[in-house]
Amino acid sequence: MRARDLAIEYPTVTPDDTAMDAARLLAGRGLPGLVVVDDRRRAVAVVPGSRLLRQIVPPHVRDDPNLARVYDERHADRLCAKLADRTVADLLEDERTPLPVVDADATVMEIASVMAGARSPVVAVSDDERHPEKGAVIGVVTAAHLLDRLLPAAGDA
Amino acid sequence: MRARDLAIEYPTVTPDDTAMDAARLLAGRGLPGLVVVDDRRRAVAVVPGSRLLRQIVPPHVRDDPNLARVYDERHADRLCAKLADRTVADLLEDERTPLPVVDADATVMEIASVMAGARSPVVAVSDDERHPEKGAVIGVVTAAHLLDRLLPAAGDA
């Protein structure tokens, strides 16, 4: 079993997408984060859900969380609308969470090692064996998915 | 809409559970991580999936990822079996990812602010308004779930 056999489809966004589109995708699919790829589907980064939430928190609330209680629902709705004015690229400028990449021939242990080392919940699988980071993302492997394939069936252990 | 209205049930483990039970839960439900509570259901920490994978990567492979390719599936299976010998408490000794806590009256903006500040994909909702960290966890709010409630319906914005 190699990375190409384990790779599953996972929703992606590009740097040109709006933060609103990214937020809708994340919310609609119940995802912890999104995978960002460029126009040639090369791995760019991960955008965790908390990064999107950060956009709707006004700077003075970030500095003093006690101010948050005065914001009612309407305020929050209005702040959410601002997501339409920002792109995924803008979010990545703030802070970039690396998306680790393995090649399609990577073994289970290689994938586990890369995810553990990067403390990443997801690794991208690339179609370029020699330079994985330059290849196109053909899918991802999540920690849950990898463990599901690796764990002995209950009662076997 | 307050934290109590937003809180959803989310699988939890306790420090006494084995890492194997935690891994099975994570794998079976396709979760990015697990919420750890103590025997009084107080928030303890988060265990990301990558922390569980770290347990099956031998130390010399952690130090030199190039060694990972020599491990075949059988090796990985055997290493997985070791998860039965470790507890969630052992994993937390390695490294502890904080689980942010809000009280049941927290507003949407407070929750967003706490999650953004902690860069956490999840926040626990506690039943103790004055000392949230001392209360029992009544549920969690994820970033995806919060955005789902906050985002204007497509076309509205």
Side-chain angles (χ1 to χ4, degrees), chain A residues 1-2 20 23-32 48-58 61-62 64-65 67-73 75-77 79-81 83-84 95 103 105-121 129 142-157, chain B residues 1-2 20 23-32 48-54 56-58 61-62 64-73 75-77 79-81 83-84 95 103 105-121 129 142-157:
Chain A
M1 196 161 52
R2 299 296 177 113
M20 180 64 88
R24 281 197 206 286
L25 184 60
L26 183 122
R29 304 277 291 259
L31 300 168
S50 60
R51 187 82 43 80
L52 289 162
L53 286 175
R54 192 177 152 85
Q55 304 307 313
I56 68 163
V57 181
V61 173
R62 282 184 217 165
D64 182 359
L67 296 175
R69 194 149 295 204
V70 305
Y71 279 83
D72 63 15
E73 218 89 329
H75 277 100
D77 283 359
L79 289 163
C80 260
L83 289 170
E95 187 178 338
D103 72 80
D105 273 332
T107 62
V108 160
M109 184 57 74
E110 278 179 289
I111 302 169
S113 168
V114 165
M115 289 176 89
R119 292 177 173 71
S120 177
E129 195 183 339
T142 67
H145 181 207
L146 191 60
L147 282 167
D148 190 47
R149 292 297 193 95
L150 280 177
L151 291 178
D156 279 11
Chain B
M1 196 162 52
R2 298 295 176 116
M20 180 65 87
R24 281 196 206 286
L25 184 60
L26 183 122
R29 305 276 291 259
L31 300 168
S50 60
R51 187 81 43 80
L52 289 162
L53 286 175
R54 190 177 155 85
I56 68 163
V57 181
V61 173
R62 282 184 217 164
D64 181 359
N66 293 317
L67 296 175
R69 193 150 296 205
V70 306
Y71 279 83
D72 65 15
E73 218 88 331
H75 278 99
D77 282 0
L79 290 162
C80 260
L83 289 170
E95 188 178 338
D103 71 80
D105 274 334
T107 62
V108 161
M109 185 57 76
E110 279 179 287
I111 303 169
S113 167
V114 166
M115 291 177 87
R119 294 176 173 71
S120 178
E129 194 183 338
T142 67
H145 181 205
L146 191 60
L147 282 167
D148 190 46
R149 291 298 192 94
L150 279 176
L151 291 177
D156 278 13

Side-chain angles (χ1 to χ4, degrees), chain A residues 2-151:
Chain A
R2 299 296 177 113
R4 68 166 56 78
D5 312 310
L6 288 164
I8 52 171
E9 187 271 335
Y10 193 91
T12 56
V13 291
T14 70
D16 293 337
D17 287 330
T18 66
M20 180 64 88
D21 287 338
R24 281 197 206 286
L25 184 60
L26 183 122
R29 304 277 291 259
L31 300 168
L34 291 169
V35 165
V36 186
V37 295
D38 68 15
D39 53 6
R40 288 168 58 190
R41 288 200 61 78
R42 286 175 300 204
V44 172
V46 169
V47 174
S50 60
R51 187 82 43 80
L52 289 162
L53 286 175
R54 192 177 152 85
Q55 304 307 313
I56 68 163
V57 181
H60 57 278
V61 173
R62 282 184 217 165
D63 295 338
D64 182 359
N66 293 317
L67 296 175
R69 194 149 295 204
V70 305
Y71 279 83
D72 63 15
E73 218 89 329
R74 277 170 169 284
H75 277 100
D77 283 359
R78 266 203 301 271
L79 289 163
C80 260
K82 288 190 182 172
L83 289 170
D85 302 328
R86 302 206 73 195
T87 63
V88 169
D90 293 334
L91 303 186
L92 297 178
E93 260 177 42
D94 262 12
E95 187 178 338
R96 183 177 286 238
T97 304
L99 169 59
V101 185
V102 297
D103 72 80
D105 273 332
T107 62
V108 160
M109 184 57 74
E110 278 179 289
I111 302 169
S113 168
V114 165
M115 289 176 89
R119 292 177 173 71
S120 177
V122 65
V123 63
V125 181
S126 155
D127 67 359
D128 187 327
E129 195 183 339
R130 295 188 57 186
H131 305 287
E133 67 291 343
K134 292 185 182 170
V137 173
I138 58 173
V140 308
V141 181
T142 67
H145 181 207
L146 191 60
L147 282 167
D148 190 47
R149 292 297 193 95
L150 280 177
L151 291 178

